[in-house]
Amino acid sequence: MLAGLVLLGPVPAAAEIYRYTDAPAPAGTGAAVGRPGTVPGGPGSAAGAPKAGATTIKYTPGERIMVDVKINGNANANLLLDTGADRTMINPRVLVSAGASISRPVGTTRVTGVAGSDDVAFVVIESLEVGEARVGRMQVASYDVAGAGDGLLGRDFLDRFSVNIDSAAGVVTLSPK
C-alpha cells in the first residue's frame, strides 16, 4: 500500500547534471588515476578523435577521481573532482605559482564543514583547463583542502560541461554543452 501511495504522489521535476554509467568495463581497461586523455571510440569521440573542447579522464574505479589541471596556462595542479562542491578550491601555493594575486582577494566568506569553520578568500584566475575542456576567467577559492591533492574541482567548472561518469570503465567525460 505504501508503494502505491508513493507512485501516486507528485512526480518531482529533474534536470540531468551528471550522468553515471555502470556498463561493464571492456577487457584491459586498467587506468592511471585522474590522467586526462582521449579514449579512442569513447564518449565525446568520433572515429577516435575527441569532440572539440571535450576530454576524458581515466581513474581507478572505487578510488577518488584526481584530475590534472592547468591554471592560467602555466601552472599544473592535481585536483579532486567533487560534484558536491559549489566552488573550485585551489591551494594558495599553486595559485601563486600560476601568477594569481592572492594578496588582493576579490572576496571572502566563511565556510563550515564537518571539520569546523574557516575563512576563505576568492581570487580570479585567467583560465582553468582539463585537457581540452577550458573555462576562461573565473573566481576560485584560495584554500588548502587537506587530503585533496592541490584542491577541489567544483561545479563552477563542471557545470559548464556535460559530465558523464562511467564508474565501471573508470572514465569521466567532459563535453561542451
Side-chain angles (χ1 to χ4, degrees):
M1 182 165 167
L2 181 59
L5 290 175
V6 169
L7 292 174
L8 294 175
V11 178
E16 181 177 308
I17 297 174
Y18 305 102
R19 177 185 312 214
Y20 294 90
T21 306
D22 286 322
T29 57
V33 174
R35 302 294 180 232
T38 304
V39 177
S45 67
K51 186 174 163 183
T55 196
T56 58
I57 303 155
K58 293 183 179 183
Y59 71 98
T60 302
E63 299 287 328
R64 299 182 317 163
I65 302 172
M66 299 302 294
V67 181
D68 289 330
V69 303
K70 187 170 289 259
I71 304 163
N72 291 345
N74 64 6
N76 295 314
N78 192 250
L79 304 180
L80 174 66
L81 187 141
D82 188 346
T83 60
D86 289 333
R87 295 291 191 114
T88 295
M89 299 181 129
I90 302 175
N91 186 300
R93 167 190 49 80
V94 174
L95 290 169
V96 167
S97 71
S101 177
I102 66 168
S103 61
R104 294 188 335 201
V106 295
T108 60
T109 191
R110 185 141 187 96
V111 295
T112 302
V114 295
S117 298
D118 207 353
D119 292 322
V120 175
F122 290 93
V123 299
V124 174
I125 58 173
E126 295 304 316
S127 66
L128 185 61
E129 302 170 41
V130 176
E132 297 296 317
R134 182 182 189 278
V135 171
R137 192 171 171 86
M138 65 184 282
Q139 287 185 21
V140 297
S142 173
Y143 191 73
D144 184 9
V145 181
D150 295 318
L152 303 174
L153 184 63
R155 290 195 329 260
D156 53 347
F157 179 89
L158 297 170
D159 285 351
R160 299 174 191 214
F161 301 91
S162 293
V163 179
N164 182 26
I165 301 174
D166 185 337
S167 60
V171 176
V172 176
T173 305
L174 302 177
S175 302
K177 284 188 174 180

